Amino acid sequence: MELTKKSSTSEMETRKTPIEGEKGESELLVQRTEEITAYVREKLSHLDESEQKRTIERAVNLYECSRETIAPVFAAFADHLLRLAAKKGERERIMFIARDGIGPYKAALALIRKYPERYQGIVSKQISYAYLTRKVVRNSSGEILAKYFEQLGVQPGDGVILADIGMYGTIIGPIKSKLPDFSIDSIEYLISRTSEANGFIDNGNDLQLSTFKTIIGNPAVHFLEDTFSGDIQSPTLLEDVDGELQPDTLNSGYPPEIDLKRKFALQAIEDFVENTPDKEANRDAKKTRANLDKFLSNPGNFKDLMVPHEA
């Protein structure tokens, strides 16, 4: 499939028939295209017809590229994390760090739903999505962070795997210093530029993609971190709302043009896991990272698909 062009139905109909309970790519693409079109017609009706058409085409293209190149990497990363947790036992917890940890988080939940026998002893309640942005960690006391961990089902004595896209690990030190009673077993990044975190596809040393030789100002990094980071803006603190800690931006979303892309970029992750036959769902890290590197090495593949970068 050409990554920068929408694939034709006839091309995708040549693929293998999905097993029972899964939807084929052609069927699913039609469904998602209809959903994207309905979203644009309803929420972007002020655009003229030609601009609506371009918006739909870009969103569909983003969905396809996400499913083809990003989803296999996130699924492989999630599979790796779940296997790590399964080895450690029922008191192990995986905490995906918001906001850009949401893609692997959704992949992990989908993997557990689809393959419960693969990750013995691991259930969905052992996985959480935590709004631990740099500003939240900086602005929160140890008491607040401990309460938040416990709210997410993590108790002192539990083992914790912190998972994120990466890169420099600026929250690692503050979390450890503010939460001395919590056991951080390991820190797993997709892309790491710190000795304190393992890098799944790129660690900056013996394992490095050409795309990420430079991190700061790299549009490929912005594409991964921003486009796949969910539907609320980055929080600065945790607020107590009726006894529950919530990010202060919980009700601060994005304009429809941006929300559309974020929504269907993440939908592609779940669709890949839930509807790709296992024998075709390549979770080999070497192959998925090579495919990702090839795609991201050319900004022309995604520059019209990504959302604006947030500092």
Side-chain angles (χ1 to χ4, degrees), residues 81-121:
L81 296 170
L82 291 169
R83 290 179 188 274
L84 280 180
K87 289 179 180 179
K88 292 180 178 292
E90 62 181 17
R91 291 206 65 180
E92 194 70 12
R93 301 290 186 264
I94 306 174
M95 185 176 285
F96 291 88
I97 305 302
R99 292 178 303 155
D100 41 322
I102 193 170
Y105 169 69
K106 286 181 174 290
L109 290 178
L111 284 168
I112 289 177
R113 288 194 301 268
K114 190 171 184 180
Y115 306 109
E117 73 288 345
R118 180 178 293 166
Y119 313 106
Q120 292 295 324

Side-chain angles (χ1 to χ4, degrees), residues 255-276:
E257 297 94 329
I258 298 175
D259 179 69
L260 172 69
K261 289 183 175 182
R262 289 172 174 270
K263 175 182 176 66
F264 283 94
L266 290 175
Q267 184 64 61
I269 309 303
E270 293 181 275
D271 286 351
F272 172 81
V273 175
E274 293 174 351
N275 296 284
T276 303

Side-chain angles (χ1 to χ4, degrees), residues 139-282:
N139 295 333
S140 301
S141 66
E143 182 181 358
I144 290 294
L145 291 177
K147 179 181 177 181
Y148 188 51
F149 269 46
E150 292 174 8
Q151 178 180 302
L152 295 174
V154 180
Q155 305 291 330
D158 291 339
V160 181
I161 298 171
L162 293 181
D164 196 3
I165 297 299
M167 319 289 171
Y168 293 100
T170 54
I171 69 167
I172 296 173
I175 286 179
K176 286 183 175 180
S177 65
K178 290 185 177 185
L179 295 170
D181 295 333
F182 289 83
S183 175
I184 309 298
D185 285 346
S186 69
I187 300 166
E188 305 292 328
Y189 282 178
L190 191 72
I191 304 160
S192 176
R193 288 296 180 272
T194 171
S195 60
E196 293 190 82
N198 298 314
F200 181 66
I201 64 168
D202 189 318
N203 61 18
N205 295 309
D206 59 312
L207 187 65
Q208 187 168 8
L209 303 187
S210 60
T211 301
F212 301 118
K213 287 182 178 179
T214 299
I215 298 296
I216 298 175
N218 187 336
V221 173
H222 297 165
F223 176 63
L224 286 179
E225 287 194 326
D226 294 308
T227 311
F228 298 86
S229 63
D231 58 0
I232 72 168
Q233 297 183 33
S234 184
T236 60
L237 52 85
L238 297 171
E239 297 179 325
D240 190 316
V241 180
D242 297 326
E244 181 175 316
L245 293 172
Q246 298 178 354
D248 61 334
T249 57
L250 187 62
N251 298 311
S252 300
Y254 292 93
E257 297 94 329
I258 298 175
D259 179 69
L260 172 69
K261 289 183 175 182
R262 289 172 174 270
K263 175 182 176 66
F264 283 94
L266 290 175
Q267 184 64 61
I269 309 303
E270 293 181 275
D271 286 351
F272 172 81
V273 175
E274 293 174 351
N275 296 284
T276 303
D278 190 44
K279 60 184 177 182
E280 295 177 32
N282 179 21

Side-chain angles (χ1 to χ4, degrees), residues 30-49:
V30 169
Q31 177 183 335
R32 297 305 180 216
T33 301
E34 290 174 348
E35 293 170 356
I36 289 169
T37 300
Y39 184 106
V40 171
R41 300 303 191 208
E42 177 186 353
K43 299 188 177 183
L44 295 168
S45 59
H46 61 281
L47 300 177
D48 62 37
E49 184 63 29

